[in-house]
Amino acid sequence: MNIVIFGPPGAGKGTQSNFIVKQFNLKQISTGELLRKEIKTNTELGHKISSIINTGNLVSDDIVGNIIEKYISNDSYKNKLIFDGYPRNLIQAKNLDKLLKRNDQKIDIALKLSVSLETVKKRILERKNLEKRADDKKDIAIRRYETYENNIKAVIDFYKQHDLLKEVNGEGSVSEISDEISGLIDRIKG
Ligand code: AMP
């Protein structure tokens, strides 16, 4: 079982991925988390990533592609992957497909968490006080929402065409959303 979960900033991708990881014994790959880890290493690559993340734009497809490839080719992660925040555009969706195929794997379900811009703003402001993320400043968060909206349509179409897309209403409580997600995953596990 490999899963993709996507949604705008503040949609609850991280929270719901944590839940799915525990419930279904999977391994989470959050490209945002991995990029933030890279920034902390203080390398040249880290500085480059930091300057992009802090504008609310996407880091290059090559950089994130290299990061996820390490996990896909790792046998202890085989068919246990939940991709949180990847793919963010069509190039990445195709790349993910290619990398998985090369390693005899595939995506089994693509979960889209839908929330309004109003909810995004509210949740990001709440999170700002808990997690000190530089990119949770209001104007950058809005830019991240726009970046998401501008790129995600093609990803949605891609997973629709492969009959893998399931839309989840991300406006409810954490437990309502996780119940819905559990039901969807149980159904495809059969
Ligand atoms: P997130 O933690 O998923 O909200 O991601 C935080 C930031 O990391 C995003 O606004 C992007 O700048 C960058 N990022 C995360 N995932 C990707 C990705 N798949 N492709 C490009 N940039 C990404």
Side-chain angles (χ1 to χ4, degrees):
M1 158 85 53
N2 293 314
I3 299 174
V4 157
I5 185 163
F6 61 93
K13 296 188 299 281
T15 307
Q16 294 302 330
S17 302
N18 284 337
F19 155 80
I20 301 168
V21 161
K22 291 196 191 102
Q23 178 102 342
F24 297 96
N25 192 24
L26 301 177
K27 313 256 191 200
Q28 179 182 9
I29 301 183
S30 158
T31 43
E33 282 295 324
L34 293 168
L35 290 167
R36 283 189 285 280
K37 227 180 242 171
E38 188 65 46
I39 292 174
K40 286 200 186 124
T41 60
N42 233 342
T43 56
E44 202 178 315
L45 179 63
H47 291 301
K48 194 171 156 195
I49 291 170
S50 161
S51 64
I52 301 167
I53 285 190
N54 291 336
T55 61
N57 292 314
L58 292 182
V59 173
S60 85
D61 296 327
D62 283 346
I63 294 176
V64 268
N66 287 337
I67 290 178
I68 62 153
E69 188 167 8
K70 286 186 209 140
Y71 293 88
I72 296 174
S73 58
N74 181 335
D75 256 356
S76 58
Y77 283 68
K78 192 163 187 175
N79 288 321
K80 286 189 175 178
L81 296 163
I82 169 152
F83 296 93
D84 159 6
Y86 191 98
R88 292 280 235 268
N89 59 29
L90 184 60
I91 291 174
Q92 295 184 5
K94 288 183 173 168
N95 186 46
L96 179 59
D97 229 33
K98 191 182 81 188
L99 292 174
L100 287 169
K101 259 189 202 131
R102 200 185 286 161
N103 289 276
D104 292 323
Q105 298 181 69
K106 63 178 171 56
I107 292 297
D108 297 287
I109 186 168
L111 298 165
K112 173 181 183 276
L113 285 176
S114 303
V115 290
S116 67
L117 178 57
E118 280 319 299
T119 303
V120 167
K121 283 187 197 159
K122 195 173 129 248
R123 289 194 187 158
I124 295 224
L125 286 178
E126 283 163 8
R127 182 166 75 186
K128 206 167 78 176
N129 302 321
L130 297 171
E131 293 176 28
K132 311 249 172 305
R133 273 180 56 168
D135 62 349
D136 272 348
K137 290 192 192 85
K138 200 171 161 204
D139 49 344
I140 302 175
I142 291 171
R143 175 69 199 137
R144 283 162 56 214
Y145 184 84
E146 287 167 359
T147 303
Y148 171 82
E149 288 287 312
N150 290 341
N151 292 290
I152 213 66
K153 172 107 182 27
V155 177
I156 295 170
D157 290 345
F158 180 85
Y159 287 117
K160 255 190 202 156
Q161 278 159 19
H162 290 78
D163 207 16
L164 293 172
L165 188 79
K166 297 285 175 206
E167 190 160 348
V168 176
N169 178 359
E171 298 280 346
S173 68
V174 170
S175 62
E176 278 166 356
I177 301 169
S178 49
D179 283 351
E180 190 176 343
I181 290 178
S182 283
L184 289 168
I185 298 175
D186 279 337
R187 232 167 288 153
I188 60 150
K189 278 181 81 183

